[in-house]
Amino acid sequence: MNADKKIIFSSAKICAICGENPYSLYSVMLKYRMTVMQTTGRDFDLTEIINGEEIMGPSPFIRHQDIAVKVFRQIDRFVEHNKLGFVYFSPLDVIFEEGENRLQPDILFIRKENMSIIKDWVRGVPDMVCEIISPGSYEMDTEVKKAIYERYKVPEYWIVIPELLTVEILIIENDRYKKHSFAELEGVVTSKIIEGLKVNVKDIFDTELHSIA
């Protein structure tokens, strides 16, 4: 196994690294990052190729990461329990088209029937991608990346907006995204691709809801 292949840890491996603090994604990512650096001799590369242009995004803030780990764990527990496939989180390159579109979704799911796309990175179309929207990434995630995911027919796209306390799930129908499920402040969103998965948005935004109360 070459160094690059060692970068891809399963969700179970990441949870093992996490230890007893399931909601500290900062801790997870720090330990994961150290493991990658020790294994490969290099740090994470946050560069994406978007419509042929290399773009280096900023490292995410703690709030973004806290939300990301809550979404990740909700999905991962269900997927692992039902043995549906694997869930990964950024930074992990998803190469839709070499030199043209190489993105790093915050979270992605790959069905066990689609595992052939997992190589050194992910080379192909995941079954679900999720972006946690930051104030500075709204246009990029809801317009530019959405168009790319739609173009390559990613079956399901989750858009999580912490500032609005919303989760929206889009699915491909007739080559275009349409709204499948939506919740704001409270309520449950459901996945079509991860059949049976239901997520209560309160479990994602509990910290934000407590600050409002």
Side-chain angles (χ1 to χ4, degrees), residues 54 84 89 139 164 178 181 183:
E54 286 194 5
L84 301 177
F89 59 75
E139 181 178 355
L164 301 179
K178 77 163 195 175
S181 188

Side-chain angles (χ1 to χ4, degrees), residues 37-104:
M37 292 181 69
Q38 291 168 359
T39 303
T40 67
R42 62 185 177 82
D43 202 348
F44 285 135
D45 183 357
L46 299 179
T47 304
E48 297 179 292
I49 300 176
I50 298 176
N51 294 324
E53 180 182 356
E54 286 194 5
I55 296 177
M56 170 68 82
S59 63
F61 289 114
I62 290 294
R63 184 186 182 200
H64 175 284
Q65 298 296 71
D66 284 342
I67 297 295
V69 77
K70 291 174 184 176
V71 176
F72 171 83
R73 289 185 66 83
Q74 291 288 322
I75 299 171
D76 182 63
R77 284 175 180 149
F78 184 88
V79 167
E80 186 172 9
H81 177 76
N82 292 283
K83 298 179 173 57
L84 301 177
F86 291 94
V87 186
Y88 299 100
F89 59 75
S90 182
L92 175 63
D93 285 359
V94 175
I95 304 172
F96 293 102
E97 188 175 350
E98 193 68 72
E100 181 67 19
N101 283 299
R102 183 185 188 114
L103 278 60
Q104 295 182 348

Side-chain angles (χ1 to χ4, degrees), residues 198-212:
K198 299 178 180 180
V199 176
N200 191 321
V201 297
K202 284 186 177 180
D203 294 330
I204 297 174
F205 301 125
D206 58 345
T207 302
E208 282 72 15
L209 289 170
H210 289 153
S211 67
I212 292 173

Side-chain angles (χ1 to χ4, degrees), residues 167-179:
V167 178
E168 181 178 23
I169 298 178
L170 307 176
I171 59 171
I172 286 285
E173 188 171 288
N174 297 323
D175 298 333
R176 300 296 299 271
Y177 276 131
K178 77 163 195 175
K179 185 185 297 183

